[in-house]
Structure formats: structure tokens, C-alpha cells
Amino acid sequence: MIFTVAIDGPAAAGKGTISRAVAQRFGFAHLDTGLLYRAVGAKGGDPVVAAQTLTPADLMRDDLRSMAAGQAASRVAVIPAVRAALTDFQRRFARQPGGAVLDGRDIGTVICPEAEVKLYVTASPEVRAHRRWLEVGGDEARVLAEVIERDARDMGRDDAPLRAAADAVVIDTSALDSDAAIGRAISIVQAAIAMDRAHGPR
Ligand code: C5P
């Protein structure tokens, strides 16, 4: 079965938690595409060369989850040649047999507009900053400022800006706990799989 679940949205909205749960529930492969941009940003040197020569080992660095790595990722992610270097890999991953979940910023709009399910997971900047602050600590106002700065860069760039695809289902997690958000996503995917099966094998 070729079946892609595209999950987009801003930082700390809950995409990762939902993606992992959906992948586990349906036995789909999962790709956190933010990790690709984080690895490019962390590699240093020319970001285009870094993207063109990215290796699995680059994705295993243990410093990719920091706030600084997120900011570095969003700075290299505005460069069209960096995005282009990462496109084929993501597209192949999305259409692999057996099903795939990809989370990022442009999966439903650019990488896989033909995805069978598109979710846009969001929450207010304050709620997202609070969640991130619980993980990283420090000054909560500064975490909020970084969230807002990253949103602005990701939504304002010319190439593949963050936005919901026209046919995406929006899940606002501001007032949802993770079990409720996961439950909503799973029932949407379940319904789409049933519809896909009803239309015959591909
Ligand atoms: O999702 P995560 O916070 O790990 O993403 C880090 C950064 O990578 C984002 O802020 C964004 O600039 C970039 N990104 C992107 N397209 C994706 C995934 C991430 O531009 N599909």
C-alpha cells in the first residue's frame, strides 16, 4: 500500500508526538524532516554542500534537539538549494510501499501534495512556548520570543513557507492533551485508510 500521512505545523505544536503515535499505530515508517534541516544547520560550512552530502551519521548527532539547532535549521531552510537537495529523499520516503508519516513544514504543500492524509497541527505561540520551556528551562519569555521569531521566518520565507494545505485538517492542540490529539489524528487516518481500501488496491 502506498499511503502518506503529511503532518505540518509550527514548532512545539505536537507534530512529533502525533506522528510517532500514528506511525506506530498503523505500522508506517516515520520521518521527522526537521531533523534533516537541523543536521544541515549543525554541520557548519556551506549549507548547500552540507545538504548535498548529508549522511545518516549526521542525523545521529546528540545536539540536534536544542533551541539553537532549531534556529540554525530555520536559517538554512530559507535557502532554495538546501531545500532542493533534500526533496528527492523525502519524496521517495513518502511514497515507499507500506505507508509513511512525514512531519515538517511543507510536506502537504510541496513534498507530497498527493498525500492521502494531510494534517496541520498548531497551537497558540504561548502554549507552544510553555511546552518548549518545560523541556528546556531558562527564561520563558525568551523561549516565547524564539518561537515567534522561528514562526515568522518559517511562514515568511519565499520558498515553501509554512502554511496549511487547502485540503489539510487542522488540529489545534492549544486545549488538547496529547492523548486527545493523538486520538483525533488516528481516527482521521483510519477513515482515510478505509476509504482508500474501498477504492481498490494501488
Ligand atoms: O520541526 P523542527 O523544529 O525540527 O524544524 C526545524 C526547522 O527546520 C524549522 O523551524 C524549519 O525552518 C525547518 N524545516 C523546514 N521544512 C521542513 C521541516 C523543518 O523548513 N519540512
Side-chain angles (χ1 to χ4, degrees):
M1 173 175 72
I2 306 283
F3 192 97
T4 310
V5 181
I7 304 187
D8 292 306
K15 298 187 302 290
T17 305
I18 292 174
S19 301
R20 282 189 296 276
V22 167
Q24 196 183 14
R25 168 70 179 74
F26 296 102
F28 293 170
H30 172 225
L31 180 64
D32 166 4
T33 64
L35 212 53
L36 303 175
Y37 293 90
R38 285 172 182 262
V40 170
K43 226 173 156 177
D46 180 337
V48 177
V49 174
Q52 287 165 342
T53 57
L54 207 61
T55 65
D58 294 326
L59 304 178
M60 315 266 274
R61 293 171 61 131
D62 55 12
D63 57 353
L64 297 182
R65 293 280 165 207
S66 69
M67 297 279 290
Q71 289 290 359
S74 92
R75 280 193 283 272
V76 298
V78 305
I79 304 168
V82 165
R83 307 198 70 83
L86 302 175
T87 299
D88 278 356
F89 172 72
Q90 295 176 82
R91 288 196 174 141
R92 275 199 308 276
F93 192 97
R95 299 317 261 171
Q96 69 184 289
V101 182
L102 289 84
D103 68 281
R105 301 291 185 289
D106 62 340
I107 309 303
T109 51
V110 174
I111 298 297
C112 196
E114 70 276 33
E116 283 72 16
V117 174
K118 296 181 192 175
L119 302 179
Y120 188 82
V121 179
T122 188
S124 72
E126 290 74 17
V127 166
R128 291 186 286 117
H130 186 69
R131 284 182 193 149
R132 194 39 62 86
W133 172 76
L134 290 174
E135 290 167 13
V136 300
D139 175 6
E140 189 168 349
R142 192 172 149 62
V143 176
L144 175 60
E146 290 214 18
V147 161
I148 290 171
E149 182 189 337
R150 192 134 71 93
D151 283 356
R153 201 183 294 120
D154 289 349
M155 291 172 184
R157 67 184 176 217
D158 290 335
D159 192 18
L162 169 63
R163 61 180 174 79
D167 51 351
V169 178
V170 177
I171 299 180
D172 187 328
T173 67
S174 302
L176 291 182
D177 65 17
S178 62
D179 282 352
I182 289 168
R184 206 169 282 190
I186 283 179
S187 57
I188 292 165
V189 175
Q190 186 96 65
I193 291 175
M195 201 141 89
D196 200 61
R197 292 215 171 112
H199 286 106
R202 270 179 291 147

